[in-house]
Amino acid sequence: MDYLLTILVDGVVYASWLFIVALGLTLVFGVLRILNIAHGSFYALGAYAAASAVALSNGLGLPPALSLLAMLIASIAVAIAVAPFLERVVLRMFYGRDEVLILLVTYAVFLMLEDITKLIWGVTPYYVFEPRGLFGNVEIGSLFYVGYDLMLIVLAVVCGLAVWFGLNRTIIGKVVLAVIHNREISAAMGVNVARVYVLAFFIGVLLAALAGAYTAPLISVQPGISVSVIILSFAVVIIGGLGSIPGAAIGALIVGIARAAAVYELPEAEIFIVYLVMATVLVFRPEGLFQRAQVRKI
């Protein structure tokens, strides 16, 4: 029983931050119709910015609990600094062009952001261990878990509900859904589609940076973390269905639990199992578990 509980909890914790990243990726795809390879770089920028923010907070002698607020501010700062510029100056020129061209453009952005990250923070790993001790340990059955890890589950739920509420219960969300349904008719009805694009891309970058910031205490923040994240995020959105927010949640859970099971049973297949699950899903449902049309009615 403890064995199964360990796999379940570890899988859900892993799925929590992965869902936040995939949520931003699938939201950007739903609105802008682009598969953004640079999305993993936003995660890395969030992690590095959070590491710097926590170090600054500790250096100023602020209460340890404020490090969580510093990480949030760092995420927002990354989104403000990156999202408007990339969407307005770079991506806007390629809307409606061939999908392969857009993939190459976002890949180029990914490479540039990787080098920019190295120029700013160097290649030395950063360790952000202080926030992880804020929540103590939590007992689940006969097992003990770090409270911070379980807090990530709460954060993922909050992010998911916030995006759902924003899309379905606010005027701005209704406008975004209208653009997702049909951007041409939305523009004809007076919707500022360009502004919707900026907003959607900003939220997508913010979610990726947020996931990077709050997983920084769990990892070694170093060059290359963006690569594995974007690969796993693509696996999640492909399993769940491109553009599907419920699919991103289900896909993240499937990937997280499958990976946790592999870690305990067959560690050498930790990465392989993710692609095996993705291939299995695509064999039976090439469009993913949730079709894109269903997303537009959430």
Side-chain angles (χ1 to χ4, degrees), residues 107-262:
Y107 180 63
V109 172
F110 164 78
L111 294 177
M112 289 187 290
L113 290 177
E114 284 290 287
D115 284 342
I116 290 172
T117 301
K118 293 176 185 177
L119 287 172
I120 297 175
W121 286 282
V123 296
T124 303
Y126 286 75
Y127 298 95
V128 192
F129 58 87
E130 295 88 354
R132 204 174 183 204
L134 293 176
F135 297 91
N137 294 325
V138 177
E139 183 178 2
I140 301 179
S142 61
L143 304 175
F144 287 87
Y145 285 87
V146 178
Y148 184 90
D149 296 2
L150 301 181
M151 184 276 296
L152 291 178
I153 300 175
V154 177
L155 178 63
V157 172
V158 169
C159 289
L161 291 177
V163 172
W164 178 88
F165 183 86
L167 287 175
N168 293 276
R169 295 293 185 268
T170 66
I171 295 176
I172 295 177
K174 297 294 185 182
V175 171
V176 173
L177 286 177
V179 173
I180 293 175
H181 277 290
N182 195 310
R183 71 187 70 182
E184 290 79 12
I185 293 180
S186 298
M189 296 294 292
V191 173
N192 189 332
V193 175
R195 187 173 299 175
V196 173
Y197 281 7
V198 173
L199 175 63
F201 194 73
F202 175 85
I203 295 174
V205 173
L206 176 61
L207 288 169
L210 194 67
Y214 283 93
T215 53
L218 310 182
I219 62 174
S220 169
V221 182
Q222 59 186 344
I225 60 174
S226 57
V227 177
S228 59
V229 168
I230 190 58
I231 292 174
L232 288 170
S233 299
F234 271 115
V236 167
V237 299
I238 289 172
I239 290 171
L242 291 170
S244 171
I245 292 175
I250 301 300
L253 285 172
I254 291 174
V255 168
I257 294 174
R259 175 193 169 275

Side-chain angles (χ1 to χ4, degrees), residues 270-281:
E270 173 188 350
I271 301 299
F272 168 76
I273 194 68
V274 174
Y275 304 111
L276 178 61
V277 171
M278 181 177 67
T280 303
V281 170

